[in-house]
Amino acid sequence: MILKILIVVAFFALMTGIGIYCRKHVHDVNGFVLGGRNVGPWLTAFAYGTSYFSAVVFVGYAGQFGWKYGISTTWVGIGNAVIGSLLAWTILGRRTRIMTQYLSSATMPEFFGKRFQSTALKISASIICFIFLIPYTASLYNGLSRLFGMAFNIDYSICVIVMAIFTGIYVIVGGYMATALNDFIQGIIMLFGIVAVIVAVLNSRGGFYEAVAGISNFTDTHAVTSLGKAPGVFASFFGPDPVNLFYVIILTSLGTWGLPQMVQKFYAIRNEDDIKKGTVISTLFAIVISGGCYFLGGFGRLFVDKLDPLNTGVPIEGYDSVIPVMLSGLPDILLAVVVILVLSASMSTLSSLVLTSSSTLTLDLLKDHVYKDMDEKKQVKIMQILIIVFIIISVILALIQYKSNVTFIAQLMGVSWGALAGSFLAPFMYALYWKRTSKISCWVCFIFSSVVMVANIFMRSEFPVILQSPINAGAFCMIAGLIIVPAVSVITPAPDKNLIESAFSCYTKTVTVKQSKALAD
């Protein structure tokens, strides 16, 4: 116990120390929000990856989908690496970096406002961020309760409050640069931690081959189709339910293209070389972390004797109990590593979310609308105050959900990704590439995805069966947006030609590079 406590204390001390070290970057908005747009490939790639994969993935999604789909859940991790990291960096990375700097935009709502010359569009995007980022922030604490209780026998409330306080300290003091440096260290912990955990868990079941043989003995007696009842289905290539598995892949992979806290990482990267390096680093990070998490979750049914599933086939204490039960038999030192792993995953995502929320509310709602004359120092100060406010709200929501039977908050967590990415993905991507993208098409996409996902909370039973799941509905909104934006843009008035030519002139600007980068005539 002493060793575990010392490890956790050292972890928190290091995170706080980095925040203090990076305080020199927080004198202006550009430094506080984007690290001066001078962040290297390793820091940016790790910041992207650690913001991507939180305790929600490690404890919640890996446990739930691993139980439902078996080893085929590994496809989710592969999708996260290929679609959510490799393609996201390749398609969005450099164009986002160039145009956002040209338009002097530090947030996604500010980008929409300047790209389409629409204050109303900027404000509406900011409101969507505010509504759906806060509950998502609260969900990050959910994965900690069982793990901390198992490892330290400490009340969940104390864990949540301590984690929130230390995250707040290093984000407020050091801004984006402190977040990026801490993300790098947390990412290294996550890399080593997930590998150690997978090896230890599989060894506890006789090794890899024995574990695969064991999982192949299960069938899904509650499956709707005969495919799920086939022998060895949980060790098969596509698992018992490939259709719903596909929706999970789309939501968790394509969703990163439209999440403000993810896309904002591209704003801060330093140069062309760093984008190329960051693409490779980010993809490899996702393969190990996401692929490892979902691969591990695929063996959850091997612990069925401890999970005591109900007649419906769901573990008696819910899907969130799957991963903690799998880890409960690990040695103490490895349990401490797991706790630090989950802390790292949660704190890195939490820091990214609160920084995104505070900067969006300050720069896109308060500045020039509520406060007319707000200098750089005042903007930074307000963002720091709002970070405290957002963290307090998220802690309250997390404690309400934990100490009561309130399920509305938990439902909203699944809806948030669908609403945010469904609203922003298509308008943002088309705005970077297509001059014909219209302001009206953005409005339609914002309204469509927000209404669909909110309706999914209150009128779920009225939806078609395939879309009653918030995950499926979210994936549907993302794909629908890719059709809505070009369709509406074609039938609505074209944007002002001078405005468009000005925005896209950043891509045709002549730059001089070394001959090692490009051959001379």
Side-chain angles (χ1 to χ4, degrees), residues 4 21 26 30 42 86 111-112 124 141 165 182 222 286 291 307 315 321 412 429 450 471 480 488 498:
K4 288 186 286 187
Y21 171 76
V26 303
N30 192 42
W42 285 91
L86 176 62
F111 169 81
F112 285 124
S124 66
Y141 303 103
I165 289 173
N182 275 323
H222 304 279
L307 290 164
S321 66
L412 201 53
M429 185 180 72
S450 298
I471 290 172
V488 174
N498 292 331

Side-chain angles (χ1 to χ4, degrees), residues 458-482:
F458 300 105
M459 304 169 58
R460 187 165 296 166
S461 60
E462 304 298 322
F463 277 57
V465 175
I466 192 66
L467 295 181
Q468 288 183 2
S469 163
I471 290 172
N472 294 5
F476 167 74
C477 286
M478 293 178 204
I479 296 172
L482 295 173

Side-chain angles (χ1 to χ4, degrees), residues 311-458:
N311 292 333
T312 57
V314 179
I316 193 168
E317 294 187 30
Y319 293 118
D320 287 350
S321 66
V322 174
I323 296 296
V325 166
M326 295 175 72
L327 304 177
S328 60
L330 297 181
D332 282 349
I333 185 65
L334 204 50
L335 264 182
V337 171
V338 170
V339 170
I340 296 299
L341 187 159
V342 176
L343 260 179
S344 298
S346 299
M347 290 178 70
S348 56
T349 307
L350 177 62
S351 62
S352 178
L353 288 173
V354 296
L355 188 58
T356 300
S357 299
S358 66
S359 60
T360 295
L361 192 57
T362 302
L363 301 178
D364 305 322
L365 272 181
L366 300 181
K367 181 186 175 185
D368 298 330
H369 304 295
V370 178
Y371 297 103
K372 297 298 182 182
D373 298 314
M374 196 189 299
D375 60 25
E376 293 272 326
K377 288 186 177 181
K378 191 170 185 179
Q379 291 174 47
V380 171
K381 186 64 65 178
I382 289 176
M383 280 189 274
Q384 291 171 327
I385 293 171
L386 285 175
I387 286 172
I388 297 173
V389 173
F390 289 139
I391 287 179
I392 291 173
I393 293 173
S394 67
V395 167
I396 292 172
L397 290 176
L399 294 179
I400 289 174
Q401 183 181 343
Y402 178 72
K403 293 182 178 294
S404 67
N405 293 321
V406 175
T407 58
F408 174 78
I409 299 172
Q411 292 173 352
L412 201 53
M413 304 312 145
V415 171
S416 62
W417 262 54
L420 288 165
S423 296
F424 298 147
L425 188 159
F428 185 79
M429 185 180 72
Y430 282 115
L432 292 175
Y433 277 91
W434 191 33
K435 295 181 179 181
R436 189 64 174 77
T437 306
S438 71
K439 179 170 62 178
I440 297 176
S441 71
C442 295
W443 279 112
V444 173
C445 199
F446 286 6
I447 294 169
F448 174 82
S449 294
S450 298
V451 169
V452 168
M453 296 312 298
V454 171
N456 187 264
I457 299 174
F458 300 105

Side-chain angles (χ1 to χ4, degrees), residues 11-26 32 166-183 185-186 384:
F11 173 78
F12 282 130
L14 179 61
M15 299 300 104
T16 305
I18 288 174
I20 295 171
Y21 171 76
C22 293
R23 67 186 184 277
K24 60 187 177 183
H25 295 280
V26 303
F32 187 76
F166 280 98
T167 304
I169 288 173
Y170 77 71
V171 177
I172 291 168
V173 174
Y176 181 83
M177 188 59 75
T179 300
L181 277 172
N182 275 323
D183 286 348
I185 295 171
Q186 291 161 353
Q384 291 171 327

Side-chain angles (χ1 to χ4, degrees), residues 43-176:
L43 294 184
T44 302
F46 272 64
Y48 184 91
T50 54
S51 298
Y52 195 168
F53 309 116
S54 67
V56 176
V57 172
F58 183 71
V59 176
Y61 279 16
Q64 177 178 346
F65 301 131
W67 182 272
K68 285 184 175 181
Y69 309 130
I71 298 177
S72 66
T73 311
T74 308
W75 281 110
V76 181
I78 296 172
N80 291 173
V82 175
I83 301 173
S85 297
L86 176 62
L87 291 181
W89 276 74
T90 302
I91 294 173
L92 299 180
R94 65 187 309 275
R95 281 199 165 240
T96 298
R97 175 64 173 80
I98 294 170
M99 187 175 280
T100 56
Q101 183 176 20
Y102 178 77
L103 296 176
S104 298
S105 59
T107 67
M108 186 176 277
E110 190 175 19
F111 169 81
F112 285 124
K114 291 186 175 180
R115 169 67 173 78
F116 296 99
Q117 288 293 293
S118 172
T119 301
L121 199 64
K122 179 181 75 171
I123 292 174
S124 66
S126 180
I127 292 172
I128 292 172
C129 287
F130 177 75
I131 291 173
F132 292 103
L133 279 179
I134 289 296
Y136 176 40
T137 303
S139 73
L140 299 176
Y141 303 103
N142 292 345
L144 295 173
S145 58
R146 296 179 187 275
L147 289 176
F148 262 90
M150 178 179 64
F152 296 99
N153 196 27
I154 297 176
D155 183 72
Y156 172 64
S157 303
I158 297 175
C159 303
V160 168
I161 293 170
V162 170
M163 172 184 145
I165 289 173
F166 280 98
T167 304
I169 288 173
Y170 77 71
V171 177
I172 291 168
V173 174
Y176 181 83

